[in-house]
Amino acid sequence: MAAAAPSTPLGPFVDSLVSWTTWVTLMGLVGLIALAVLSTGPAAARTAPAALPAVTTRIAWASVVAGVLAAPAVLTELAHSASKSHGYDWSAAWDSLYDGTNAGRLSGLEVTLVLVAAALVAPLTVRSVAAGRARTWLLGAGLAAASVALGATKFPTKVPADWGRGSFDTLVWMLHLLGGGVWFGGLAGLLLLAVPGAVPTAGRRAFWSTAVRRFSVAAMVCVAAITLSGLFLYWAHVDGLTQLVTTMYGRVLGVKILIFGGLLLLGTFNQFWLHPRLDALRDEGDQRALVTVLLRRFPLVVAVEVVLALALLLVAPFLHGSARNQAYQAQVSEQSATPIPAKKLPKLPAKQVSTSTWVWGTLETVAVIALMGGSYQLSGRLARRRSAAATATPDTTAPEAATPEAAAPEAPAPVATASASLPG
């Protein structure tokens, strides 16, 4: 009689939770610093110089905390992996750092560079430093160190037999991790700044208008990078849609895709509904409605997105192996007359890239970029159209609402799929 097909367990929840803390701290560190470099810092320096120290110090404090927590998180994961009794072998974890192997060097780089990034950003927790010229250099150096630390999690530990394929696989993972880090960490940073009192009242409206516009572009690029890299990883690990429901890897991946889809739906809501209406309210001078949205709807939506992002990072560590191998091993086990130990089950070779793969990949890349660019332009037109309609129909019932602060020089560009929907 044929043996029963082997089950593919998810693995202990504790293992995934330990990995989750590592991903959250590493990606959060990258995203927080990137937010200050790409969005909030330049926006404050350009539109509200008085708010620059307060905005920078708040992001710096969060970055330092993430960096300080990332080092023990990496060590905890190493200790858990080194233990033979599913415990924590701290001595083995510490000794594995820079032990002469490639894996040891990469682990050592992770621990070292997250602490370096935290140390570089730490001076910016002082407002006098945050307002000085050193801000740009410290943030740039900290972002570089944090990015390399995050990338070290997926750098190859062995010399690849095919340098072209190995380099491309590494590039795909870098796009996936850095895109996710900048997007998810940026959302967390925006939530911190949306707390009442985080941004000084003077220039707050102009600051948010510019900050949203800049983060919108960064978020669009991140979504495109995650989507394209995710498509390649799907091609490499899944053979057909049926494996999404017939294998454990496919089911977990399906849950991850659903969560990612929820994030995109929230972004679509902000891009095509919320933000154009906020622009119209601003031009009408409706301060009460704007404050209501500012203090309630925006933080709530971003908080939901942050929770979904954390859930997505919790699901990701449950992805073990590949759907291709799980389906193949189940078939081999069913055809075998005697049970085969899980460790001795055969594995399929990696998929080979062909000409058709490059053709489809190029078409997918062009399609994703066109979709993102077209969505950005379309939502911008909606915002300008609603603002023009609001300006052409002044509100004569509440003239006192048209205060100087309510007026903004121009309507901000639309938000990206990351729900950066805070009004100017």
Side-chain angles (χ1 to χ4, degrees):
M1 297 180 61
S7 60
T8 306
L10 288 174
F13 179 77
V14 174
D15 294 359
S16 296
L17 185 61
V18 171
S19 298
W20 176 77
T21 57
T22 302
W23 290 120
V24 168
T25 51
L26 285 175
M27 298 179 78
L29 176 62
V30 171
L32 287 168
I33 301 177
L35 179 69
V37 171
L38 302 174
S39 179
T40 57
R46 178 183 175 184
T47 62
L52 180 60
V55 170
T56 303
T57 53
R58 182 168 291 249
I59 297 297
W61 273 112
S63 301
V64 170
V65 171
V68 171
L69 293 178
V74 174
L75 284 173
T76 300
E77 187 171 12
L78 291 174
H80 194 57
S81 301
S83 176
K84 298 180 180 180
S85 59
H86 301 288
Y88 298 90
D89 192 340
W90 299 102
S91 177
W94 185 259
D95 292 338
S96 67
L97 303 180
Y98 300 109
D99 61 357
T101 64
N102 288 335
R105 295 187 188 97
L106 292 176
S107 299
L109 282 176
E110 286 184 57
V111 175
T112 302
L113 290 178
V114 293
L115 294 176
V116 170
L120 287 169
V121 178
L124 297 176
T125 58
V126 180
R127 293 204 173 194
S128 59
V129 180
R133 295 184 177 181
R135 177 184 59 85
T136 303
W137 294 100
L138 291 174
L139 287 174
L143 179 59
S147 299
V148 175
L150 178 60
T153 59
K154 289 298 181 179
F155 289 160
T157 58
K158 297 181 180 179
V159 177
D162 185 350
W163 276 97
R165 176 63 183 272
S167 300
F168 186 78
D169 289 345
T170 302
L171 175 62
V172 167
W173 274 113
M174 293 306 99
L175 291 175
H176 209 65
L177 295 179
L178 293 176
V182 173
W183 186 17
F184 302 155
L187 284 173
L190 289 177
L191 187 60
L192 290 174
L193 294 178
V195 175
V199 181
T201 304
R204 179 172 57 186
R205 185 173 298 276
F207 161 76
W208 277 115
S209 178
T210 306
V212 166
R213 181 165 60 249
R214 297 183 69 93
F215 182 73
S216 174
V217 177
M220 278 286 190
V221 174
C222 291
V223 171
I226 295 171
T227 302
L228 292 174
S229 57
L231 287 172
F232 176 81
L233 293 173
Y234 174 87
W235 170 84
H237 295 289
V238 182
D239 282 336
L241 295 176
T242 57
Q243 291 186 357
L244 288 177
V245 295
T246 59
T247 64
M248 184 59 69
Y249 182 98
R251 297 186 188 111
V252 174
L253 180 61
V255 173
K256 184 180 176 182
I257 293 173
L258 288 176
I259 296 174
F260 183 72
L263 285 166
L264 292 181
L265 286 176
L266 285 175
T268 302
F269 165 79
N270 290 313
Q271 187 176 8
F272 293 103
W273 189 88
L274 179 60
H275 192 70
R277 283 162 176 78
L278 290 176
D279 286 341
L281 288 174
R282 181 204 62 195
D283 291 333
E284 290 173 357
D286 191 345
Q287 295 297 296
R288 181 188 57 78
L290 275 176
V291 171
T292 300
V293 173
L294 174 65
L295 297 181
R296 295 181 182 178
R297 185 170 297 178
F298 171 75
L300 178 61
V301 173
V302 176
V304 171
E305 288 192 288
V306 171
V307 171
L308 287 178
L310 293 175
L312 189 146
L313 294 179
L314 181 61
V315 171
F318 286 102
L319 289 171
H320 302 293
S322 70
R324 298 175 62 244
N325 279 321
Q326 289 178 7
Y328 174 67
Q329 290 171 353
Q331 182 181 5
V332 170
S333 182
E334 290 176 355
Q335 296 174 353
S336 176
T338 58
I340 303 176
K343 294 183 179 180
K344 294 185 178 180
L345 285 170
K347 294 183 179 181
L348 292 171
K351 283 186 177 179
Q352 297 299 316
V353 178
S354 62
T355 303
S356 63
T357 306
W358 286 109
V359 172
W360 282 108
T362 302
L363 293 176
E364 290 171 353
T365 302
V366 173
V368 169
I369 293 176
L371 178 62
M372 294 299 166
S375 299
Y376 187 86
Q377 294 296 327
L378 177 59
S379 58
R381 291 179 182 178
L382 290 176
R384 291 189 293 270
R385 189 175 301 171
R386 290 185 177 276
S387 298
T391 304
T393 310
D395 187 1
T396 59
T397 62
E400 69 278 4
T403 60
E405 184 181 355
E410 61 177 281
V415 296
T417 54
S419 92
S421 56
L422 196 61

